[in-house]
Amino acid sequence: TVNVTSVGTYNVRVVDVNNCVNRDTIVVTERVGTPISLMNAPKEVNICPGGNHIATVPTALQNVANTSWVWNDGSNGITNEVANRLDGENVGVSIQFTNQFGCVSKDSITVKVRNTLPINMQSQTICAGENVTFNSGYSGNNFTFEWNNDVANNQATFSINNATVAQSGNISVQITSNEGCSGDTTVTLTVNALPQPVLSKDTLCAGQNIVLSTGVTGAHVWSDGSTNNTLSITNATPNQSGIYSVTVTNAQNCSKDT
């Protein structure tokens, strides 16, 4: 006899007492475990304390004849559920799969229980009179929302129309999922005032001069396309009578016409 420890082709030659010879050949191959994967790398999943994760035997392996499997808790169902765990727990789930040749393969994942609900909401800056909407990033019937400590405002978004400078300040939201996760954040709304340019009605005689001024600082664009802070009319003619307008934009990029 010979102990075989590696794959390959093995030959044997036998000579009996009559000097008769016979030969035989055997090929030894290796059977390997069937690859099994419960999920892709990094083999981790987060759930809320009231949530769950169900690990499942891959569909392609569920009905292969003469195979078996066992989960780390001793069960052998197609699925294995992690549910109703405490915040901060790391729950290991592993499976041992035996194929039709008796070869064993394994896989494992980690279910992390975390009471976190990340909210990616940004502060916003607008001009008076504009509309603004803050979006929590969540929607649907699986969450409840509380904006600015107002339990009646149970919406995924918070909007202000025709904003005023007085409405500048903090915008806060608290979100709770139906699986027991919660999160909150506070951002800032800045409502910048509009410039207040003023042009007075003027009457002058032909040949006179006039300088139109808004009385405010900022970038000016006059109705004739000029961009000086003032508009000068020299040696006026009747043809220059009419309506003059200007748009002023202040340092906060807020604009107003007059």
Side-chain angles (χ1 to χ4, degrees):
T1 63
V2 60
N3 290 326
V4 176
T5 59
S6 60
V7 299
T9 301
Y10 293 84
N11 301 301
V12 62
R13 177 176 176 270
V14 179
V15 182
D16 65 13
V17 294
N18 300 312
N19 207 33
C20 296
V21 179
N22 202 0
R23 296 176 175 83
D24 198 12
T25 299
I26 186 171
V27 178
V28 178
T29 59
E30 181 182 11
R31 300 289 189 183
V32 297
T34 302
I36 183 171
S37 178
L38 298 176
M39 68 167 49
N40 294 329
K43 302 287 187 180
E44 294 180 355
V45 61
N46 288 349
I47 65 172
C48 298
N52 71 323
H53 176 75
I54 299 176
T56 305
V57 176
T59 303
L61 302 180
Q62 292 177 10
N63 297 311
V64 178
N66 301 315
T67 62
S68 63
W69 56 81
V70 60
W71 298 94
N72 58 300
D73 62 3
S75 63
N76 58 4
I78 291 177
T79 61
N80 187 276
E81 182 179 19
V82 176
N84 298 317
R85 297 291 187 138
L86 297 177
D87 182 28
E89 282 192 82
N90 294 326
V91 183
V93 177
S94 62
I95 189 170
Q96 179 174 293
F97 182 86
T98 304
N99 66 14
Q100 62 268 44
F101 307 112
C103 298
V104 176
S105 53
K106 301 177 181 179
D107 194 33
S108 62
I109 63 173
T110 300
V111 181
K112 295 184 175 182
V113 186
R114 300 290 186 269
N115 183 19
T116 57
L117 202 63
I119 304 173
N120 184 22
M121 194 168 68
Q122 305 298 319
S123 296
Q124 297 196 52
T125 299
I126 62 172
C127 298
E130 293 182 338
N131 304 330
V132 62
T133 297
F134 291 90
N135 194 325
S136 67
Y138 296 89
S139 61
N141 298 323
N142 297 325
F143 303 92
T144 57
F145 305 89
E146 183 177 322
W147 293 89
N148 296 336
N149 299 316
D150 181 6
V151 295
N153 195 349
N154 185 23
Q155 302 293 327
T157 60
F158 178 75
S159 297
I160 297 175
N161 296 324
N162 196 24
T164 65
V165 174
Q167 289 175 302
S168 297
N170 291 334
I171 303 294
S172 63
V173 63
Q174 180 173 327
I175 307 173
T176 304
S177 76
N178 61 358
E179 293 184 343
C181 277
S182 61
D184 61 81
T185 191
T186 299
V187 297
T188 301
L189 171 63
T190 302
V191 183
N192 288 316
L194 300 179
Q196 299 297 323
V198 176
L199 288 178
S200 301
K201 182 178 180 180
D202 286 290
T203 301
L204 68 160
C205 299
Q208 289 183 326
N209 303 327
I210 188 172
V211 176
L212 301 180
S213 175
T214 62
V216 297
T217 59
H220 288 59
V221 178
W222 294 88
S223 49
D224 66 353
S226 62
T227 56
N228 295 323
N229 285 349
T230 59
L231 180 65
S232 298
I233 299 175
T234 304
N235 196 21
T237 66
N239 290 335
Q240 291 175 299
S241 298
I243 297 174
Y244 290 80
S245 62
V246 63
T247 300
V248 179
T249 302
N250 62 17
Q252 290 74 40
N253 205 34
C254 296
S255 300
K256 189 174 181 180
D257 303 330
T258 188

